[in-house]
Amino acid sequence: MSSDSVKVAVRVRPFNQREKNANSKLVISMRGNATTITNPQNGETKTFAFDHSYWSHDGFKENETGVYIKEKESYADQRQVYNDLGQGVLDNAWQGYNAALFAYGQTGSGKSYSMVGYGPNKGIVPITCDELFKAIDKNTDKKKQMQVTFSMLEIYNEQVRDLLTPAKQQQKGGLKVRQHPKSGFYVDGLKSVPVRSYNEIERLMDQGTLSRTTAATNMNATSSRSHMVITIRFKQLYMNELGESTTKTSEVSLVDLAGSERADSTGAEGDRLKEGAAINQSLSTLGNVISALADLAMGKKKVMVPYRDSVLTKLLQSALGGNSRTIMIAALSPAAINYDETLSTLRYADRAKKIQNKAVINESPTERLIRELKEENNKLLAMLKAQGTGVKAVVKTEELERLLQENERQMQEAQLSWEQRLEEARKEWEKSHAQELHPEDLTWQHFPYLRNVNEDPHLSGVVKYALQNKEYVIGKPGNGVSIELHGLGIQPHHAVMCNTGQKVLIRPAVQQAKLLVNGVPLQKERTLTHLDRIMLGSSSLFLYVGFPSERAQHENLEQYDFEFFQTEFAEESGFHTNSLLTPREGHHDPNEDKSAMMMVLHEYMNLLPKIEEAKVMSQEMQKGVSFEPEVKNLAAHDEVGRDMKKEVIVKVTNEKTKQVWVWSKAKFINRKFLIEDMYTKWCNGESIAIDRHHDPFWDPVEDVFLGSCHLWLQSLAYKIETNDQLDIIDHHGREEAMIHIKMLPCDHTGKVLSDDSLVLDPAELIGHPLDFVFVIDHCMGVKWVRGNNLARGVYCGFRFFGQPDLITTKTMWGNSNAKFHFKKHFSIEKVTPEFHDYLQTHAIIIELWGTQVDPDSGSASSRPSSGSLADHTDEDPEVAELRRVLKRQTEECDHLRAAYQKAKKENFKLKQQVERHKNALELQKLDHQETIPHPVNSRVAHLQRDQHGGSHDSINSNSSTGSSHEPPPPKHPSTSLDAEIAKGLKVFFKDVRHVQRGLKNVKELGTTNSSADNGNVKSLFEEQQKALHDIDEQLNAAVSALKVTVTSVIKKKKQQTDPS
Ligand SMILES: Nc1ncnc2c1ncn2[C@@H]1O[C@H](COP(=O)(O)OP(=O)(O)O)[C@@H](O)[C@H]1O
Ligand SMILES: [Mg+2]
């Protein structure tokens, strides 16, 4: 008996295309057996030592047969990995040890590449099998017999599926895992196919991969959530020195684990259903088992190893901490974007290397084996007889009978001649796979064909449907269907394809069938061109490969991968690059921007197919909930408007009640797992009835962020009043509503100050009090309450100077013109330098929130900020109804009051207009004298003499359009200075027109490029980005120039009026 630690290797893959496009930073380095990871944010490093650290990131090239070969000494190729790890497994098997090898890492990190390999770059599993048979073939000892059996299974959602059993013969709910008192856990009914050559294993592996690809539910992401376990049993029968017939057995388990990634746990923590989501029971239990075993190895006492908590750990019990020599290969992504995941993989691997196993050679005389089995059998039979009749006894009897069966199977296996078993297996293969799609079917070489594309590159190109000269109906298995698909959103008859001999045609079979060719929905028949991309439903993707005459010699079909399809789909369905732009571009590092853009683009693309799937699952299960991706612009919530970060969020709509929720990406991913589980159940015909508190489609109603605007505080620093109408912009950059806001400097009693209180240098404020009244008057044209929907309301919220509480207006229900008449007096006792800076650089963000009534409880949705606001969610429906009535009444009153105010104002305005008209005429006269055209619409700055005859001039700055508060024009304009200002304004307006043209061009960039090819979204971004950057600079320059003019005029004026 020997005690061995689990051997651990890590391997880092090359950058993929997307990472190259994004100019990803490399965060992994290796020296000898040590691997170092660098935190891209702060440069901190962490180093881990392993048995092997494999550098497969660069330093290689592809030879003419497609094999990656070393260019630099540092590069570790497939052969090297096999020599270090696979060879050891094989040696162990010969000696009669059990062995296990598993690959751990996030999806796309290279697990399958190391384990199984791609094309000519064969991985550990095929090389090991190949070498095993090479060694067997070398055996010349006639008395020695060697037997190999092969099995392949998948664990998905705690269900075991035999990948070598044809789909039609598979048991619903999967195979059961049972425990045998002597041999431990086993899968009841799993096929273990005797094989005599490597070719046969290869054929079985192809069959298993095909079975994985066409798995019943056919969601693209299934493979990343499932574990694949291949078991090779190697038995050697020979005479030992005593002349006894001896059996030496070894079981080799090769495990390609599910992707280790999780929904970002910080984000999903807020989810009501976070606890309910055992996203991958087997994977999390594996982590717990490894931790417990590591603790045991470190000398900790009384540690419970939770093998029984999951299917995977039951099956791997002996590989982990038992009778096995075990190797773990941890696959690493090199890119900065995956830093967190990669670090967690390294930590996992670090823990695993502490585990100690006790491997023994499984060798015993064959007769003894049979004798023991017989004895065991007799014991079982005796126990069976002794069983009573109670309920407990019946269960026990069933279990005993099963054990008996298993024993008998083992005995039969031991006694049946190997040749007989092989012959049986051959017959069965022919019988069960007669009507199945054969991986070795080569008709596609002579005809146009469809080639499947899966999210997992390992499952792409596995299914090929040759299109011979006839018509094909594609659809759900059933009547008249020639190409059967199980995918999401597939109609019973979905599409019809026809090969006329000269060309191949495709059309949707029914109107509601979702059929896209090259990202464009297809309504009528069209001819396919070689390498067209076809999407059926939401997850069945195919590449059309044309007639042999159309194909080029070395075509790289792999480039049309899942990502290619999704990018194309996103582009064609109008992925708004505009929505990724920031409302106000500050000064920033353009490089930082680019990576932020790529990041969000990547997230968006990643989420899009998942959202599509969730949508269809909801449709099929008639949940009536739809999902839509959105990009959240953090600048919309950033008081300095410079946060360039964007987040992808998911808008969820109940189609019946029209309620809306906004889910974070993490929450969506969490829910998607639960939805998938529910869908799997539904597909298996199980009940999906669930109380709504556990329903992943349901949430209590909540308020929805509609949009925001920035009200810059700078004018307050000059004690200039603001009276503006601003656009409320949603996350897509679209206008949600228009808001009328005022910010009026006042005295401590709240009396609004006149213009002479203006300060020329904001620094003068320091040390003095500052008071102002903040008014949110009304919002116009709110889209959320379109059609004056009575079940919806709006309110505004904002924060001031870092105060934690959101200050909110009252909620206005059922009116798209919401009259808040909100007024608040802010009183700052003493302006500090800090506050002075705050005024100069910050804005108040006014957020518009939508609120909605929950039809079930009748109460309103809850406001997102806790604390100051009452939460009405648990209110009695009757009270809620009364409250709504009261609200409407109050509103009616408001309405009347407002109408009265309006009439009063109008009257006043008319008076003003008359006066203004008079003054304008006067001004025109003066302009003619100066021969400088007076700028039209000069709403940026008015210079005016103080009306009260004081000694100061004041500036009134209105930075936005449509200001209703126009100051009276100057009575005694100082002509030469006015001319100077006018000149400055003229230049400014010229610049602004220039900027406007620029902006128009940017807008057009997005629309004229609709025919963009794949990958153009990115270049479009960059173009827009650059254009916006330029515009920003132009604007800044224009504003500074104007500022200089205005300041100089003010100074001069001051000198004129103040002769001292
Ligand atoms: N060592 C490597 N050398 C070259 N390409 C690799 C390597 N490891 C992974 N890849 C590529 O990266 C992609 C994802 O790898 P894969 O093994 O499918 O990841 P996983 O199984 O972990 O999801 C595949 O296209 C694969 O060819
Ligand atoms: Mg894989």
Side-chain angles (χ1 to χ4, degrees), residues 11-14 56 60 68 75 106-114 118 256 456-458:
R11 185 180 195 184
V12 59
R13 64 159 169 79
S56 300
F60 65 97
Y68 296 150
Y75 178 71
Q106 73 180 114
T107 301
S109 58
K111 295 182 297 294
S112 302
Y113 185 89
S114 286
Y118 280 87
D256 193 349
D456 186 342
H458 202 247

Side-chain angles (χ1 to χ4, degrees), residues 548-564:
S549 59
E550 295 175 277
R551 303 177 199 166
Q553 267 243 301
H554 292 292
E555 253 164 349
N556 176 14
L557 301 182
E558 271 81 41
Q559 65 175 302
Y560 301 101
D561 58 4
F562 188 76
E563 175 123 357
F564 190 102

Side-chain angles (χ1 to χ4, degrees), residues 818-837:
K819 301 190 174 65
F820 298 114
H821 299 310
F822 170 90
K823 214 179 235 182
K824 191 171 171 75
H825 177 183
F826 286 91
S827 195
I828 291 98
E829 257 173 55
K830 218 178 191 181
V831 173
T832 59
E834 192 196 358
F835 188 73
H836 161 261
D837 289 349

